Amino acid sequence: MVERLFFSKLVTKDLTAVESNRRLFEGVLTVEMKDRQGEITIRDELLKVLPIWLARGGPITDTHSNRVVGQGINFGSTTIVGECGKSYPAITIQGEIYKDYELDNEIWGAIKSGKYKGLSFGGATKSNRTPIMQKDGSMAYSLK
């Protein structure tokens, strides 16, 4: 039997500077929504790997590059409420942007100014990728 998941196209990414001295930020990762690669990250699956990410230093890179500009310091499970009052799963990420290089300053400035509006996790699934029909009729792949 094919697993069927339906999610609306709700834009809920958020990235906010929390404290300027330490360059702390908090962001909301929207999950269980189809991304640009046609994939859906299941919240409970991502929550399984976040402790490993933190234990390995929680590297934060500039837009999926190899340029490490900060580190994750905490995460949590949450829900967000959509326009119709329906709750959607999400994950909060807290992190810190370093102060050592000019690129660090540029990234912090982009967060504070609102230029950077969201967070993204790179990764790949090891399970079989079964297509899932979306509410709009398009297909997506669940990352597990």
Side-chain angles (χ1 to χ4, degrees), residues 39 123-129 141-144:
E39 298 170 329
T125 184
K126 289 186 175 183
S127 68
N128 290 335
R129 291 171 35 116
Y141 293 94
S142 174
L143 296 179
K144 296 183 178 179

Side-chain angles (χ1 to χ4, degrees), residues 64-131:
H64 293 287
S65 70
N66 64 350
R67 301 177 303 240
V68 177
V69 296
Q71 68 180 34
I73 55 177
N74 202 2
F75 67 91
S77 178
T78 190
T79 56
I80 54 173
V81 179
E83 293 174 10
C84 299
K86 183 174 178 178
S87 295
Y88 295 89
I91 295 174
T92 57
I93 299 289
Q94 294 83 35
E96 181 173 11
I97 301 300
Y98 299 138
K99 301 177 182 180
D100 304 309
Y101 298 109
E102 184 58 34
L103 179 59
D104 303 339
N105 297 333
E106 290 173 23
I107 299 303
W108 181 243
I111 292 170
K112 284 178 54 177
S113 73
K115 177 181 176 186
Y116 281 5
K117 300 182 186 322
L119 299 166
S120 176
F121 268 81
T125 184
K126 289 186 175 183
S127 68
N128 290 335
R129 291 171 35 116
T130 304

Side-chain angles (χ1 to χ4, degrees), residues 11-52:
V11 178
T12 56
K13 291 185 178 180
D14 190 18
L15 191 61
T16 309
V18 176
E19 198 252 291
S20 288
N21 264 354
R22 279 193 58 202
R23 294 186 177 190
L24 300 178
F25 70 88
E26 180 171 81
V28 177
L29 277 170
T30 54
V31 293
E32 302 191 15
M33 293 171 55
K34 185 171 150 181
D35 66 14
R36 289 185 206 144
Q37 290 76 36
E39 298 170 329
I40 296 173
T41 303
I42 305 300
R43 176 179 57 185
D44 292 344
E45 296 295 323
L46 184 55
L47 285 171
K48 291 177 189 176
V49 299
L50 286 174
I52 298 166

